[in-house]
Amino acid sequence: MAESGETGGAGGGAVHSTSPADQLTSEFLLYKQTKEITSVHVSVLCRDLLVTLALGQVLSLLICAIGLTSKYLADDFHANTPVFQSFLNYILLFLVYTTTLAVRQGEGNLLAILKQRWWKYMILGLIDIEANYLVLKAYQYTTLSSVQLLDCFVIPVVLLLSWFFLLVRYKAAHFVGAGLCLLGIGCMVGADILLGRQQGLGEQKLFGDLLVLGGATLYGISNVCEEFIVKNLSRVEFLGMMGLFGSFFSGIQLAIMEHKELLKVSWDWQIGLLYVGFSAFMFSLYSFMPVVIKRTSATSVNLSLLTADLYSLFCGLFLFHYKFSGLYLFSFFIIILGLVLYASSSTYVAQDPRVYKQFRNTGSQLATGSPPLGPRVLEPSVTYTSLGPEPGDELPVRVA
């Protein structure tokens, strides 16, 4: 028995011993595995960055197309009907998304939504209508350069509203990236001034500038509300409510303010085609923007839209024979650099369980007796929501 025990002891000792060769092999395998994970992580980040930039530029191209059709309508056919153009877009939203909500069952039904929060969407619809109207109206009183420059006021508005109401927290890279984007717009406006592109100068320039600032502020409010809705409720609900209240109030505004302008329009197939094109581009912009905002943020989207003016200028070189300046290309690359810098770093949401419980994951539950997240939990390298757990709540970290 003693001999057997000694043998067993010796055998047990042999199991726990590790040779230097085995230890070196284990370390090499661990290093290889870590390197593979790192390379996959970097490739995923690069892919997400490229997708984010591409989605933002699709929105910019849509805005460029909207601007070109509006310019043809106003300059070539003397059709100054901004309210009617917005009304057509809201009617399309109503026909597609509001009717979708009407045939839904349960809490996502149109009547159920109206019963819970009709007044909120009514206010948001008015804000969206007047934002479009104020900026389009400003072109009659101030310069094109002033509109392009002052319209950037939407960026600080979205940053501040996201900070205080969505509790988004930014890093230094985000502020530097936003600053570079605004610098690019400044260079573009400077090129316009040097080339004498001062279309739209009116007698009441200060009034026009105030209209732009008011429109940019309303755009910022609308975009931040849109981000909250699409990330907490649904894209179809947002667009359906915009179609319902937007078509209602823009129809009233159209009947009061623009019915005489519509009577002055010399209708033919070319004007009809331009109105159809404008409505299609605007409908595509409204339908696609919530998708991009849900993937990124209202701030990122508005930074991406700064390139729309440059796309319009590049089209104007061929369509309207604008003069070219090297500052345009410099402005474009500065804005793209700012977008890359902004998108390469993640934002995060401050702790507030009362407001952001709906941001939490719904697919994973806290394990019984699991300790709460402490202040030393490392911040992940993607956008997340950090919340203190409560009994019965889901895991309070949401990767977005």
Side-chain angles (χ1 to χ4, degrees):
M1 293 293 295
E3 183 178 354
S4 171
E6 291 173 3
T7 306
V15 170
H16 293 288
S17 62
T18 304
S19 65
D22 292 340
Q23 187 175 3
L24 184 62
T25 302
S26 300
E27 291 178 355
F28 175 75
L29 291 175
L30 181 61
Y31 168 77
K32 185 177 180 181
Q33 185 179 8
T34 304
K35 187 176 181 181
E36 290 176 352
I37 293 175
T38 303
S39 63
V40 170
H41 182 64
V42 171
S43 64
V44 169
L45 287 179
C46 292
R47 183 191 65 190
D48 289 344
L49 178 61
L50 291 175
V51 170
T52 299
L53 292 175
L55 292 176
Q57 297 316 296
V58 170
L59 294 178
S60 283
L61 289 172
L62 286 173
I63 290 183
C64 173
I66 290 169
L68 289 176
T69 52
S70 296
K71 182 174 177 61
Y72 274 117
L73 282 169
D75 293 354
D76 294 358
F77 298 95
H78 307 288
N80 297 308
T81 56
V83 178
F84 177 66
Q85 291 166 228
S86 297
F87 176 72
L88 293 176
N89 170 57
Y90 290 123
I91 287 294
L92 288 176
L93 293 176
F94 178 87
L95 293 175
V96 175
Y97 295 105
T98 308
T99 53
T100 301
L101 293 178
V103 299
R104 275 185 173 181
Q105 303 295 325
E107 295 183 358
N109 181 264
L110 177 63
L111 294 179
I113 295 171
L114 289 175
K115 191 179 297 183
Q116 294 177 16
R117 40 188 176 268
W118 64 271
W119 62 273
K120 299 177 182 178
Y121 284 116
M122 182 182 71
I123 295 174
L124 185 57
L126 285 171
I127 289 173
D128 193 68
I129 292 169
E130 299 311 318
N132 289 322
Y133 178 75
L134 289 178
V135 173
L136 291 174
K137 194 70 175 176
Y139 283 98
Q140 301 178 18
Y141 299 99
T142 187
T143 63
L144 175 65
S145 300
S146 293
V147 173
Q148 292 170 339
L149 187 61
L150 295 175
D151 197 36
C152 297
F153 186 66
V154 69
I155 304 298
V157 170
V158 171
L159 285 171
L160 288 174
L161 292 177
S162 298
W163 182 283
F164 287 108
F165 293 101
L166 299 184
L167 304 180
V168 177
R169 296 297 177 258
Y170 301 97
K171 302 174 185 176
H174 298 115
F175 294 109
V176 174
L180 284 175
C181 291
L182 295 178
L183 176 63
I185 287 294
C187 292
M188 183 193 69
V189 172
D192 286 345
I193 294 174
L194 290 175
L195 294 175
R197 292 188 64 237
Q198 294 290 313
Q199 297 95 328
L201 181 61
E203 297 179 356
Q204 303 177 13
K205 186 175 185 301
L206 178 60
F207 178 67
D209 293 343
L210 292 176
L211 288 178
V212 179
L213 291 175
T217 302
L218 294 180
Y219 271 133
I221 297 172
S222 176
N223 289 160
V224 172
C225 292
E226 181 177 354
E227 178 180 354
F228 183 85
I229 292 170
V230 299
K231 288 185 177 180
N232 288 273
L233 299 171
S234 76
R235 163 181 168 269
V236 175
E237 177 176 330
F238 170 78
L239 294 173
M241 292 297 101
M242 287 298 99
L244 177 63
F245 290 104
S247 57
F248 178 75
F249 288 114
S250 63
I252 294 175
Q253 189 171 354
L254 172 64
I256 295 173
M257 303 177 61
E258 217 170 74
H259 63 280
K260 293 183 179 179
E261 289 293 334
L262 276 178
L263 295 176
K264 296 178 183 178
V265 175
S266 302
W267 293 95
D268 58 22
W269 69 270
Q270 291 178 311
I271 290 183
L273 189 61
L274 286 172
Y275 273 117
V276 169
F278 177 91
S279 303
F281 293 134
M282 184 70 88
F283 176 78
S284 300
L285 177 68
Y286 269 70
S287 299
F288 190 51
M289 184 176 285
V291 177
V292 185
I293 285 181
K294 186 172 184 177
R295 181 184 177 90
T296 57
S297 67
T299 306
S300 179
V301 166
N302 278 282
L303 290 173
S304 298
L305 296 183
L306 294 179
T307 56
D309 289 330
L310 286 166
Y311 291 140
S312 298
L313 289 172
F314 294 148
C315 291
L317 293 174
F318 301 98
L319 298 176
F320 309 116
H321 307 291
Y322 290 162
K323 295 180 181 179
F324 178 76
S325 172
L327 283 176
Y328 290 147
L329 288 178
F330 179 72
S331 301
F332 181 79
F333 288 119
I334 288 293
I335 293 175
I336 293 297
L337 178 62
L339 289 173
V340 170
L341 185 59
Y342 183 93
S344 63
S345 184
S346 62
T347 59
Y348 64 96
V349 177
Q351 296 185 5
D352 191 346
R354 297 168 299 173
V355 178
Y356 282 89
K357 289 178 74 172
Q358 58 265 58
F359 275 116
R360 301 178 179 186
N361 285 334
T362 56
S364 57
Q365 302 288 336
L366 280 174
T368 305
S370 59
L373 294 177
R376 295 186 179 181
V377 175
L378 293 178
E379 173 188 325
S381 58
V382 292
T383 305
Y384 72 102
T385 301
S386 177
L387 300 167
E390 299 172 359
D393 283 346
E394 296 83 357
L395 186 64
V397 176
R398 177 187 184 271
V399 177

